[in-house]
Structure formats: C-alpha cells, structure tokens
C-alpha cells in the first residue's frame, strides 16, 4: 500500500488541527464488497475485512473513547501528548483502561527488540478484543512491511497532526496509512501533557549519525531542526501555562541546528533569556552524542551553570573500546568522551552525567569489555543505562558476527554489579538543597523533587506542593535517590535577594560570556544585561560560616518585592492621577453649569 499523503490534492496541505478533511480529500474509496480490494491506485484508506477493525458502533465521530499506550523515549512521549491533545480538542475522550476504549492508539519504539515485542503482544491483545487499532511511532515508520502491521492503521512520526482523520476513518472500519511527510509538525498543536508541570519540547527530529546498530535513523530520518524563533515562542507559551520543567528532546540534541545554520548554544542562550529569574521554571537539556558538543564545551558549560538549568546531561558512550566504537560508527573515541566528561565536570559545579553502555556488540572481545568496565569505574556515574546488544533488522550490525548470547548476558550482569557497587550520593546527608517538585512517586506516598544536579529527592507532603520549589534537608541517601524533609517552599515569583543585588555587578544576557562575570558560577547569567545578579535558591547553612547571620539568611529567603505605594510612584504615575482628577473636576463643573441653565429656562 502506498502512502495516503501522496494523494492529497496538490500533494501538500491538510486540515487545520482539530478539523477533519472531507473524504474525497484524503483519497478514500469506500468499498461495498469487502472481499475484493479496490483496484484504484488512489485507494489509500481501505475497508477492512477484519473483525478487529469493524466499527464498534455508529456513534457520531468525536464521541468515542481512546486508549493511548506509549513506548520509548521522551520524544515519543511528546508525540503522544500532541496526538492526545488533538483528539481531545475534537471531542474524543481518553482512558487509561484499555477495555473501556473504542480504539487503541499504540505509539511504538524500535530501539530494542523487547519494545517491539511488547508492541506485537499489545496488537494481538487488541485484535482478540476486537479493538480498532492505530499504530504510530518509529516501528511503522522504519518497518513499513512488518507482518504485525497488516490490517491495522498506521501513522508516521511526522504525521501526528493528522491523527484525528486517521482515528475517525479507522473507527469507520477503514485501514489508513500515513507515512510520508516533508515538513515538521507544528509546535503549537493542542497538547495534553501526561504531567501538567513538564513540557517535553522536541527541538529537532532525526540525526546526522549513521550508527551501525541503530534502527531509529530509519524511522526519524536525517536531521530536521525547528527554528530558534519557533522554539522560543513555544517556551514562552508553556511558561504562561504553568509548566515548571522544560525538557529539550531529540534523537541528538547536540546536532541541533546544523541543517539550518545555527547550533545548540545559540538556541540555549535564546531559551534561558525567557526563563523566570525566580527559578520557578527549570530547563533540562536532552541526550547529546559526544561529537557535536566537543566543539561547544565551554558554551554548553556556561549554560549548565545558569541557575535555571539543571546541571545534568545525558551523554551516551556505548563502549570504552575504540575498536568497538569504530565498529559502531560512533565517530568519536573513548578519549574524546573522557574529554567531554572532564571538561564539564571541571567547569560546572555539581555536574551530573548519565551515560549508556551496549554489552556484547558484535566483535567485542574480553579486552574491549574490560576497557568499558574501567571507564565506568573511573567516573562512577550516578546513572548508567546498561543494555545487551539486540540486532535490529535492516541495520549493518545485524549482519555482523555475534557474540555468544551467554557471554553477552554475563557481561551485562558483571557491568551491572560494578555500577551498583557505587554510592554516588554519599556525603549529601545533612545538606540543604533547593528542589523542584513535579511528580508523585510510584509508591504513592512520596513526592519527587530534583536538585539542580537532577538528583532525585523523595519528600512527603500534600499534592498541592506539586509544581513548587522548596528547600529540603537531605535526611538519608539510597542507591538510586535520596530522602529529604521540606524546610520551606518558595512562592512562584518575587524571590529576590537584595544583598546580592547590591554587591554583585551586572551579568551579561548571553550566558556564554559569563566566564568573565564576577557572579558565582551558580548565579552567572541569571539576569538580563544591566540588571543585578539575583539568587533565589541553593541557600545553604554554609552561608552562616561565611559570616552571614541567621537573620540575614532569613531575609534572603523571605524578601518579597513590596506592593506599590504613593511614595514609590514615578512622575508618569503622578501625572496620570492628576490628569484623571482634573478631568473629573472639569466634567463636574460642566454638569453643574448645564443644570443651572436648565433651571433658569424653567
């Protein structure tokens, strides 16, 4: 079956978000005989002869209930949120109970075999339950002829703005296939966030790499970046909507902009200018491969020091062996990865780096694996994502000579044991940290906050604390997170520190220039040019040791910009008030004059 996108009138266009195209605009040729396919090449939505795709009822379109299941990365999660937003904008209801849904929308991931196997299992379950199915994401985009996708509707990764049409036609019993697209979906589509306080913002799709094991490139394609202006406008919008964390997401954040003549530091500098100076909204930079940040390490470090940016970065290394990295076609060496980690750790106080490892890549020897173990031991990363090699169909690595399965599994266990022996949060107990609280823990008891280094802090408190920032004292540390107690919460605005305004010189609005600024590393670049450096968080008991009294520390935390008073009015304010007073007096005199004339005539 060809792609329906090629059959649109003029080859481009489509309905605005939330609107359906008329049937003849999407190439539908409904059939009266389901046992015979329509021969027209323009039939891209076909009536299905499968019971699983039969319409559940003759309900009015937009009144049915949809179940959405998402596999994979944050980019996939963002795509699901956009699709959910468009469906709800058109009237569809969402449910987390599959059995209650009239249709299942499954957003898939092709990175690992287990994810695709889970998709296949869910499709089988949906068919057994006679549920109409729409399969989205990287699997149908990268493997169009997959047997599991026969007889179900599919939507590609760049066709998410057409999900309403696809769902509607699928509910009618038609099989829809939308995969081809030459432009990126708009960023201002309706969106239903899984977490109201977290915006996952895709900054580009695809990548510039050609890793021999990667199937995602087949699905997401070559690099395509959103413009700086469109991303900055989206940041302004989500902040106004109450978002407290913005996650920049893509297949390779570091490659951003190279197709449109800009780069990641340019984007980051533009975004941080929009973040509230009270640190009520934080920015998290997404995964970036080593080759593309090596050129901008100092600029990236300056952004990470900004008080509204988490000092956390996900930089996959995949292997500590240069020979394995060459076989993977990763385009960097282990030494260059070490340069990235060493530089960021040196330039950014409290820097936290997460990484990925693939165990048992084809051709990996015991010596290669030992080099990987050595690298992990050297840095003792707080987060390491360890996976076994999975040959993905259609990739060069799938044709390479494989390492024995038992060896792959053993290496994965060995590396996991090495990693789990670390105690990365030792020494945090008793410290006071500012945290940003955005989630409820899986135990249903604790709230989840993160420090500026993105260390997970579990605290107890009412759900009303979600979306707030707080000072927390770390009471105990675990292997994967730490526990804390909230000392105080911060209001959403106006947490300014007068003493620092008076003693610190202005910072440049360009955070990349902050290395020449006399502000502290934590505060550098917070304010626009011409304004004083203000810090509203990360206040610890160490201030007392530096000669600040308890009273001064309390004032720093509790100073609120006072309300307006006459004494603080400017010339324009006073002139406006005087003008209003004179105008009112003139009107009153005129009214009295008119009334007196009327009385004289009578």
């Amino acid at each position: 079956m060809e792609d329906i996108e090629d059959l649109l009138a003029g080859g481009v266009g489509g309905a605005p978000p939330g609107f359906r195209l008329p049937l003849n605009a999407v190439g539908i040729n409904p059939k009266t005989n389901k046992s015979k396919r329509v021969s027209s090449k323009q039939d891209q939505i076909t009536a299905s002869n499968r019971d699983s795709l039969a319409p559940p009822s003759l309900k009015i379109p937009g009144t049915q209930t949809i179940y959405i299941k998402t596999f994979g990365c944050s980019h996939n999660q963002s795509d699901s949120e956009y699709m959910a937003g468009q469906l709800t904008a058109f009237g569809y209801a969402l449910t987390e109970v599959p059995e209650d849904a009239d249709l299942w929308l499954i957003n898939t991931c092709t990175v690992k075999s287990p994810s695709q196997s889970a998709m296949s299992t869910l499709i089988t379950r949906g068919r057994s339950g006679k549920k109409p199915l729409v399969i989205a994401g990287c699997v149908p985009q990268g493997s169009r002829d997959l047997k599991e996708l026969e007889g179900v509707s599919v939507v590609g990764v760049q066709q998410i703005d057409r999900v309403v049409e696809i769902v509607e036609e699928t509910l009618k019993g038609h099989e829809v296939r939308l995969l081809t697209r030459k432009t990126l979906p708009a960023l201002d589509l309706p969106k239903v966030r899984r977490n109201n306080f977290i915006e996952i913002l895709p900054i580009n799709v695809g990548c510039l790499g050609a890793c021999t094991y990667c199937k995602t490139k087949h699905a997401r394609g070559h690099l395509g970046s959103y413009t700086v202006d469109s991303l900055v406008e989206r940041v302004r919008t989500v902040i106004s909507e109450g978002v407290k964390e913005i996650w920049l997401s893509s297949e390779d954040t570091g490659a951003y902009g190279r197709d449109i003549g800009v780069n990641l530091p340019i984007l980051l500098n533009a975004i941080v200018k929009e973040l509230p100076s009270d640190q009520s909204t934080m920015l998290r930079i997404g995964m970036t491969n080593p080759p593309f940040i090596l050129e901008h390490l100092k600029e990236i470090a300056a952004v990470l020091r900004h008080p509204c940016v988490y000092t956390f970065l996900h930089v996959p290394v995949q292997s500590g062996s240069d020979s394995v990295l060459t076989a993977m076609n990763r385009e960097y060496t282990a030494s260059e990865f070490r340069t990235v980690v060493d530089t960021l750790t040196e330039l950014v106080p409290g820097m936290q780096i997460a990484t990925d490892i693939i165990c048992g890549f084809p051709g990996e020897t015991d010596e290669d694996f030992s080099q990987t173990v050595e690298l992990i031991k050297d840095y003792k990363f707080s987060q390491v994502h360890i996976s076994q090699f999975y040959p993905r169909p259609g990739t060069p690595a799938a044709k390479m000579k494989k390492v024995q399965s038992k060896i792959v599994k053993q290496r994965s266990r060995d590396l996991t044991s090495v990693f789990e022996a670390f105690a990365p949060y030792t020494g945090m107990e008793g410290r006071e940290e500012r945290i940003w609280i955005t989630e409820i823990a899986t135990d249903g008891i604790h709230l989840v906050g993160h420090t500026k280094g993105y260390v997970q802090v579990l605290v107890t408190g009412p759900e009303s604390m979600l979306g707030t920032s707080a000072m927390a004292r770390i009471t105990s540390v675990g292997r994967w997170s730490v526990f804390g107690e909230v000392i105080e919460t911060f209001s959403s605005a106006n947490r300014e520190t007068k003493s620092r305004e008076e003693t610190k010189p202005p910072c440049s609005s360009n955070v990349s220039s902050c290395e020449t600024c006399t502000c502290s590393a934590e505060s550098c670049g917070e304010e626009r040019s011409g304004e004083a450096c203000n810090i509203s968080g990360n206040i610890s008991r160490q201030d007392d040791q530096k000669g600040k009294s308890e009273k001064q520390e309390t004032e720093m935390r509790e100073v609120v910009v006072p309300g307006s008073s006459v004494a603080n009015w400017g010339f324009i304010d006073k002139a406006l008030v005087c003008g209003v007073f004179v105008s009112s007096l003139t009107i009153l005199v005129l009214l009295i004059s008119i009334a007196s004339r009327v009385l004289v005539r009578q």
Side-chain angles (χ1 to χ4, degrees):
M1 179 180 293
E2 297 177 0
D3 295 331
I4 189 173
E5 189 69 19
D6 300 329
L7 302 174
L8 290 174
V12 295
F19 289 84
R20 302 189 309 279
L21 291 175
L23 296 185
N24 59 2
V26 291
I28 295 180
N29 189 357
K31 296 180 294 186
T32 56
N33 183 1
K34 293 186 179 182
S35 64
K36 181 178 180 181
R37 288 186 61 88
V38 175
S39 60
S40 171
K41 293 182 179 180
Q42 294 191 354
D43 176 25
Q44 298 305 310
I45 299 181
T46 59
S48 172
N49 60 2
R50 294 177 179 270
D51 292 338
S52 62
L53 288 180
S57 66
L58 297 177
K59 293 181 181 179
I60 297 173
T63 63
Q64 293 90 342
T65 300
I66 311 297
Y67 167 68
I68 301 178
K69 174 65 177 178
T70 305
F71 295 95
C73 65
S74 61
H75 198 161
N76 259 20
Q77 182 61 52
S78 177
D79 287 350
S80 290
E81 292 175 354
Y82 273 125
M83 289 189 285
Q86 293 169 86
L87 290 168
T88 56
F90 194 74
Y92 289 100
L94 303 179
T95 181
E96 294 187 359
V97 181
E99 291 73 22
D100 293 345
D102 298 305
L103 177 142
W104 290 5
L105 171 58
I106 306 171
N107 197 359
T108 61
C109 173
T110 191
V111 171
K112 300 178 182 179
S113 298
S115 297
Q116 190 163 325
S117 296
M119 174 210 74
S120 300
T121 299
L122 196 58
I123 290 175
T124 300
R125 179 183 164 192
R127 281 180 166 141
S128 299
K130 300 186 183 301
K131 299 291 185 181
L133 301 172
V134 175
I135 312 301
C138 292
V139 170
Q141 189 74 65
S143 304
R144 304 185 180 200
D145 299 325
L146 200 65
K147 184 177 180 181
E148 289 90 331
L149 301 178
E150 293 179 1
V152 300
S153 293
V154 299
V155 54
V157 294
Q158 293 187 34
Q159 294 283 17
I160 59 174
D161 55 349
R162 303 286 298 281
V163 68
V164 172
E165 305 161 47
I166 296 167
V167 165
E168 180 177 342
E169 296 305 325
T170 303
L171 285 167
K172 292 177 182 178
H174 299 141
E175 178 187 339
V176 187
R177 184 160 292 223
L178 263 172
L179 292 169
T180 302
R181 185 65 174 267
K182 296 182 176 64
T183 59
L184 300 176
L187 292 171
D188 59 354
L189 295 170
K191 195 171 191 179
V192 175
R193 300 184 188 90
R194 189 171 183 84
N195 185 321
N196 290 332
F197 302 109
I198 298 176
E199 166 72 7
I200 303 172
L201 178 59
I203 63 174
N204 56 263
V205 299
C207 67
L208 294 175
C211 299
T212 55
Y213 57 85
C214 183
K215 186 72 173 176
T216 304
K217 181 65 177 280
H218 295 190
R220 295 283 183 178
H222 198 66
L223 181 69
S225 302
Y226 288 95
T227 65
V228 172
D229 288 345
S230 65
L231 291 166
V232 168
E233 182 59 33
R234 181 63 182 172
V235 167
R236 292 193 191 109
T237 298
V238 302
I239 290 175
S240 70
E241 293 172 351
V243 161
K244 300 304 178 184
E245 284 188 8
I246 300 173
W247 297 0
L248 302 187
S249 178
S250 76
E251 283 62 61
D252 187 356
T253 302
Y256 168 80
R258 290 170 180 260
D259 57 321
I260 57 175
V262 293
N263 57 42
L264 182 61
I266 291 174
L267 173 64
L268 295 178
N269 278 297
I271 288 177
V272 296
K273 291 178 183 178
E274 304 299 327
L275 302 177
S277 61
D278 63 358
Q279 296 177 263
S280 57
T281 300
M282 296 292 288
L283 179 70
R284 194 184 87 171
I285 304 173
M287 186 274 289
T288 178
N289 287 311
F292 300 113
I293 59 170
L294 277 166
E295 302 174 28
H296 306 292
L297 281 178
K298 289 187 177 180
E299 293 93 334
I300 299 296
V303 174
L304 290 166
R305 290 197 300 267
H306 190 281
C308 298
V309 180
Y310 286 119
T311 54
F312 169 84
L313 202 59
H314 178 194
V315 187
V317 63
Q318 305 300 7
S319 175
S321 165
D322 286 346
S323 62
V324 173
L325 291 174
T326 299
M328 292 178 172
N329 197 28
R330 290 290 287 172
E331 300 180 338
Y332 59 87
T333 64
S335 176
E336 288 173 327
F337 172 80
R338 288 175 180 268
T339 297
V340 171
V341 177
D342 292 341
T343 303
L344 293 179
T345 302
E346 177 186 356
L347 297 179
V348 184
M351 184 70 202
Q352 297 283 329
I353 293 178
T355 195
D356 299 347
I357 297 292
I358 297 175
C359 291
F361 189 82
E364 182 185 64
T365 65
D366 289 340
E367 176 58 26
D368 293 328
F369 179 67
S370 68
Q371 292 176 24
T372 299
V373 173
E374 181 182 358
L375 184 146
I376 298 301
K377 284 182 176 180
D378 286 346
Y379 289 101
K380 295 181 171 58
F381 299 105
S382 58
Q383 296 183 40
V384 179
H385 308 116
I386 301 170
S387 64
Q388 300 173 30
F389 170 74
Y390 294 101
R392 305 302 293 131
T395 63
K399 301 176 182 178
M400 298 179 182
K401 185 177 181 180
K402 300 177 182 59
V403 178
Q404 292 183 20
S405 177
K406 64 178 182 179
I407 296 177
V408 175
K409 292 179 181 178
Q410 185 59 51
R411 287 176 181 171
S412 177
R413 287 192 292 265
D414 291 345
L415 188 58
T416 300
S417 297
V418 170
F419 166 63
E420 292 183 349
F422 304 151
Y425 305 128
T426 299
M428 288 190 67
E429 191 169 357
R431 281 167 49 182
E432 292 182 10
E433 296 271 357
R434 182 168 182 173
I435 62 173
W436 288 264
I437 304 171
T438 56
E439 300 175 77
I440 299 175
T442 54
D443 63 8
I445 300 173
H446 292 88
L447 302 179
V448 180
H450 291 94
T451 68
K452 192 175 187 301
Y454 214 68
V455 176
Q456 182 174 269
V457 182
L458 302 179
V459 298
T460 55
E463 289 190 21
S464 59
M465 289 178 61
L466 289 171
T468 67
S469 178
M471 289 299 297
R473 180 182 293 110
I474 308 303
T475 56
S476 62
V477 300
R479 176 59 187 83
W480 313 108
S481 58
V482 302
F483 291 85
E485 59 180 8
V486 173
I487 301 172
E488 65 166 323
T489 58
F490 291 93
S491 62
S492 61
N494 296 331
R495 293 282 180 176
E496 305 297 343
T497 308
K498 287 186 174 180
S499 62
R500 302 198 185 198
E501 289 180 356
E502 296 168 355
T503 59
K504 299 284 188 179
C507 269
S508 167
S509 61
N510 186 341
V511 297
S512 66
S513 66
C514 279
E515 291 168 320
T516 61
C517 175
T518 57
C519 303
S520 65
E522 291 81 3
S523 65
C524 209
E526 178 175 347
E527 295 293 325
R528 311 293 188 273
S529 178
E531 298 177 356
C533 294
N534 298 318
I535 296 293
S536 58
N538 291 330
I539 302 169
S540 69
R541 297 299 181 188
Q542 295 175 351
D543 291 338
D544 297 327
Q545 301 170 2
K546 296 178 181 178
K548 295 183 180 179
S549 66
E550 187 69 29
K551 180 179 179 180
Q552 288 174 318
E553 180 181 292
T554 303
E555 289 174 350
M556 288 173 65
R557 289 182 180 175
E558 297 301 329
V559 168
V560 178
V561 175
S564 175
S565 66
V566 175
N568 293 328
W569 286 359
F571 172 78
I572 294 178
D573 297 320
K574 295 176 181 178
L576 288 173
V577 172
C578 290
V580 172
F581 177 76
V582 172
S583 299
S584 301
L585 186 59
T586 302
I587 293 171
L588 180 60
V589 170
L590 288 173
L591 290 174
I592 293 173
S593 176
I594 293 171
S596 63
R597 290 181 182 180
V598 172
L599 291 173
V600 169
R601 288 179 181 178
Q602 293 178 349

